[in-house]
Amino acid sequence: MQHGPAVRRRKLGEELRALRDRTGLTSGETARMLGWHQSKISRIETGRSGVKPEDVRLLLDAYGVADARERALLEALAASAGDTGRGRQWWHEYRGLLPQEYRDFISLEAGASAARTVELSVVPGLLQTAAYARAVTRAALGGLPEPKVDALVDVRLARQTVLRADPPLELSAVLDEAVLRRQIGGPDVMAEQLRHLVAVARLPQVRLQVLPFSVGGHLGLTGPFVIFSFPNIADLDVVVLDHLTSSLYLERKEDLEAYSAAFRTIQAHALPPQDSSDLISAIADGA
């Protein structure tokens, strides 16, 4: 299974190689122009290593690329591939615990400007309380030693800083009513979680809606998904589908259009934000 940032590194490498070929330069000639070793060009073009946006700018200068939109797209692609030039990110400290796919997901989440998500079973990670996150982790990964459970909960809470970053991630979430009524962790944990949802829904960067049981069948029944969008460049949007043992990243234009249309349809059938908060509060109070 291919990972998001790895796919993007390869995509960026292919684009840069095509630009080099268009100029007639060899990889060796390009390396000499920039004072690099030829192997660096090879690693970039094959997607085996990331490349900093500032290095992409040097390559684009060498290849005579003047189009501002093309330059912005390729520089943004370098940033979203996981190497932003700002050193190691916090999640690398957990590399011995987190699967590569989870680290890739966090990398995309951290670099995104907006996320749209549909959830059918559990509260999205960005909106979970510590107690709820602990209960979900124990249920999903039964038998895990407590220190590892603690670490995974720490990761879940650390991810939530994107909602209060400057600028913050703009989150639009639609939750099936089943998410609110499934007793994960027991009544006290659920009541706390539901009240937390009401509180976080007041943030201007969060739009939270509930898809009530009364809607019946809906497009979201095919499974949960997340659509990440990135600053200024719509061409970098990506859909993430989670499976039991892997994640699938969709970046083709037709896939993005299909999932974006599905999200709009699901959102249109969901309760408005205030009605959603009222329903969540009522369930928390035992209605």
Side-chain angles (χ1 to χ4, degrees):
M1 183 65 66
Q2 297 171 337
H3 305 302
V7 171
R8 292 182 169 221
R9 284 195 298 271
R10 187 167 58 255
K11 180 178 180 181
L12 175 62
E14 291 171 352
E15 293 292 334
L16 291 173
R17 177 166 184 168
L19 289 172
R20 178 174 61 76
D21 287 344
R22 193 172 70 189
T23 66
L25 290 169
T26 67
S27 59
E29 289 168 339
T30 302
R32 285 192 293 275
M33 287 175 62
L34 299 178
W36 296 351
H37 195 281
Q38 185 175 353
S39 63
K40 179 174 180 176
I41 301 291
S42 176
R43 290 195 304 272
I44 290 172
E45 291 185 349
T46 57
R48 284 182 290 149
S49 67
V51 53
K52 299 175 182 178
E54 50 264 39
D55 283 347
V56 169
R57 286 193 285 273
L58 292 174
L59 288 167
L60 296 179
D61 289 342
Y63 301 152
V65 177
D67 184 84
R69 187 179 186 282
E70 185 175 13
R71 292 180 68 96
L73 174 61
L74 293 173
E75 289 172 25
L77 190 56
S80 70
D83 188 348
T84 63
R86 289 174 287 184
R88 289 158 54 83
Q89 302 291 354
W90 64 263
W91 54 88
H92 289 291
E93 298 302 320
Y94 296 89
R95 63 189 181 278
L97 174 68
L98 304 180
Q100 180 66 51
E101 288 186 351
Y102 193 14
R103 281 182 280 147
D104 284 345
F105 182 89
I106 295 173
S107 176
L108 287 172
E109 185 177 74
S113 58
R116 291 165 283 169
T117 183
V118 173
E119 273 292 352
L120 307 179
S121 302
V122 297
V123 172
L126 292 179
L127 304 179
Q128 292 179 6
T129 65
Y132 184 93
R134 185 175 303 279
V136 168
T137 302
R138 284 173 174 161
L141 302 170
L144 203 64
E146 279 304 300
K148 288 191 175 181
V149 173
D150 292 341
L152 288 172
V153 172
D154 289 344
V155 169
R156 188 68 49 88
L157 299 180
R159 284 174 48 201
Q160 298 175 6
T161 59
V162 297
L163 292 177
R164 292 173 174 81
D166 184 20
L169 177 77
E170 300 284 338
L171 176 66
S172 296
V174 179
L175 312 185
D176 191 276
E177 187 174 341
V179 173
L180 311 177
R181 297 192 181 276
R182 178 169 287 105
Q183 289 290 311
I184 293 178
D188 292 342
V189 169
M190 279 305 301
E192 179 192 34
Q193 175 63 73
L194 294 176
R195 293 190 180 101
H196 178 69
L197 286 176
V198 174
V200 78
R202 299 191 187 105
L203 295 173
Q205 63 269 33
V206 176
R207 180 181 177 88
L208 181 61
Q209 294 176 257
V210 175
L211 199 62
F213 286 148
S214 59
V215 169
H218 57 82
L219 278 173
L221 292 176
T222 56
F225 61 87
V226 182
I227 306 172
F228 287 121
S229 298
F230 294 85
N232 304 318
I233 309 294
D235 292 10
L236 293 180
D237 286 6
V238 57
V239 178
V240 184
L241 307 178
D242 270 338
H243 302 292
L244 183 61
T245 58
S246 63
S247 295
L248 181 63
Y249 295 83
L250 306 178
E251 301 183 89
R252 295 187 310 163
K253 183 178 180 180
E254 51 267 42
D255 291 325
L256 290 166
E257 289 176 348
Y259 277 90
S260 294
F263 184 83
R264 289 192 297 270
T265 299
I266 293 167
Q267 194 175 49
H269 284 91
L271 297 174
Q274 186 56 57
D275 291 348
S276 295
S277 290
D278 291 345
L279 176 58
I280 295 170
S281 293
I283 295 173
D285 293 338

